[in-house]
Amino acid sequence: MDGQSRWVFMTSGNATDRDWPALLRTVLGVPAPDLEVRSVLPWQAEMLVADRYSAGRVHLAGDAAHVMPPFAASGANTGIADAHDLGWKLAAVLAGTADPTLLDSYEAERRPAGWFVADQSARRTLDPGAAPDPDLAHPFVLAAGGFQYRTGALRRSPADEHDVEPVREFAPAGRVGTRVPHVWLDAARTRSTLDLGGPGWALVVADDPARWAPAAAKAPVPLPVRRIDADFLPPGQALLLRPDDVVAWRGGDESAPPRVLQELLRPERAVAGAPA
Ligand SMILES: Cc1cc2nc3c(=O)[nH]c(=O)nc-3n(C[C@H](O)[C@H](O)[C@H](O)COP(=O)(O)OP(=O)(O)OC[C@H]3O[C@@H](n4cnc5c(N)ncnc54)[C@H](O)[C@@H]3O)c2cc1C
């Protein structure tokens, strides 16, 4: 479809042998003399999530890993988010800057996210029921990819354990395991916090970058220090931002980011205490 002369029309029911031109003219309410039906495709809304996303060198992404009833453009966006997660991990492993074990975090992060979005879409469309569903997420949480990874390529402190991203309200706050909240960085609105990560890592700080620079220089991969002014990042705190804009760590200890990066990218060497 092109939104100008080629369109899609969706209706319920399983019959495909209906008089489609007559039905469409009724729906449109105009004669539409040039109307031509190009194809009729049966389709059934379903919620299906693969039991595993990864097996050895094979990784599933997109509809191969999850299908869901259409809601809030979740279908394609969840697939794109899979690729965003898997892409930088594959690149790091292939470039030799991360151990292959980093790829284990793909399923750990994206399967719960795929299940969450598919379940939320299904609750709204497959069998919504008459009573309000107390577990419905705020639509912005779905539209903005507001799911929080609980395990994966991230490090949470004990304080982070209790600071859980809500789903019934949209309240992003730069919590570990979530996508960094969008805030414009300039008055002309040309740069956002979402531009800080990618294609590499970034250390996002709220105060003097010089305080963090010596530690960032010890990181096993390039780690630019970026200062921002945003409500969700109080002075003294920093966010370690992954290439896919997910917060991998947050805290005030400037010696932590290179150590955390080493643990996430090179866990075996970090355990052995080898230099970065
Ligand atoms: C009716 C309907 C409405 C939807 N509406 C929306 C919406 O409004 N917003 C939204 O975000 N999402 C929507 N979706 C979901 C969205 O279309 C999918 O989530 C998205 O297209 C999945 O992308 P994908 O690349 O993972 O898979 P696909 O788009 O299915 O791409 C897979 C490709 O692989 C090809 N392929 C398959 N087997 C092979 C093979 N052996 N060798 C080579 N190629 C192969 C296929 O031909 C296809 O081109 C809708 C889906 C449907 C069915």
Side-chain angles (χ1 to χ4, degrees), residues 22-47:
L23 180 78
L24 284 167
R25 289 191 172 98
T26 303
V27 170
L28 291 167
V30 293
D34 298 333
L35 187 144
E36 177 194 356
V37 176
R38 304 281 296 250
S39 68
V40 179
L41 299 171
W43 164 75
Q44 184 174 337
E46 284 183 298
M47 173 192 167

Side-chain angles (χ1 to χ4, degrees), residues 10 43 61-64 66 68 70 72-77 79:
M10 281 195 253
W43 164 75
D63 275 23
H66 43 70
M68 60 194 79
S74 295
N77 276 313

Side-chain angles (χ1 to χ4, degrees), residues 7 18 23 31 34 36 48 63 78-79 87 92-93 96 100 103 121 127 143 165 173 176 185 209 213 217 231-232 241:
W7 300 83
R18 302 167 74 175
L23 180 78
D34 298 333
E36 177 194 356
L48 297 168
D63 275 23
T78 306
V93 171
L103 292 166
S121 299
D127 186 16
E165 183 93 347
V176 173
L185 297 175
D231 289 348
F232 64 82
L241 212 56

Side-chain angles (χ1 to χ4, degrees), residues 28-274:
L28 291 167
V30 293
D34 298 333
L35 187 144
E36 177 194 356
V37 176
R38 304 281 296 250
S39 68
V40 179
L41 299 171
W43 164 75
Q44 184 174 337
E46 284 183 298
M47 173 192 167
L48 297 168
V49 181
D51 293 337
R52 297 164 68 192
Y53 275 30
S54 299
R57 290 161 55 87
V58 178
H59 304 279
L60 299 182
D63 275 23
H66 43 70
V67 291
M68 60 194 79
F71 178 77
S74 295
N77 276 313
T78 306
I80 292 165
D82 292 341
H84 204 189
D85 187 292
L86 184 57
W88 71 265
K89 294 174 183 174
L90 279 175
V93 171
L94 292 173
T97 54
D99 293 340
T101 48
L102 176 66
L103 292 166
D104 296 344
S105 66
Y106 171 64
E107 177 173 298
E109 294 174 358
R110 292 308 303 166
R111 188 172 183 279
W115 181 277
F116 170 75
V117 181
D119 177 56
Q120 287 290 328
S121 299
R123 284 170 185 271
R124 288 169 157 87
T125 44
L126 289 186
D127 186 16
D133 184 341
D135 294 322
L136 276 193
H138 192 289
F140 285 4
V141 169
L142 298 174
F147 183 80
Q148 182 175 26
Y149 302 145
R150 304 296 296 168
T151 59
L154 37 99
R155 282 289 174 277
R156 286 205 312 267
S157 69
D160 296 325
E161 297 289 343
H162 303 290
D163 190 16
V164 178
E165 183 93 347
V167 294
R168 296 193 59 200
E169 60 174 317
F170 182 58
R175 297 177 179 89
V176 173
T178 65
R179 203 168 175 230
V180 68
H182 156 74
V183 173
W184 290 116
L185 297 175
D186 58 352
R189 298 187 164 203
T190 60
R191 288 186 67 248
S192 153
T193 42
L194 292 170
D195 298 318
L196 295 170
W201 292 73
L203 189 62
V204 181
V205 303
D207 47 18
D208 184 9
R211 186 189 139 209
W212 296 87
K218 294 182 190 155
V221 290
L223 187 62
V225 183
R226 313 261 191 237
R227 187 190 174 281
I228 64 164
D229 187 9
D231 289 348
F232 64 82
L233 191 61
Q237 290 262 307
L239 305 179
L240 182 60
L241 212 56
R242 305 190 329 193
D244 58 355
D245 298 320
V246 169
V247 178
W249 168 90
R250 82 178 277 164
D253 173 7
E254 59 260 46
S255 70
R259 191 178 65 244
V260 169
L261 264 171
Q262 182 78 3
E263 289 170 2
L264 297 181
L265 299 178
R266 298 264 190 222
E268 287 168 20
R269 290 191 202 183
V271 169

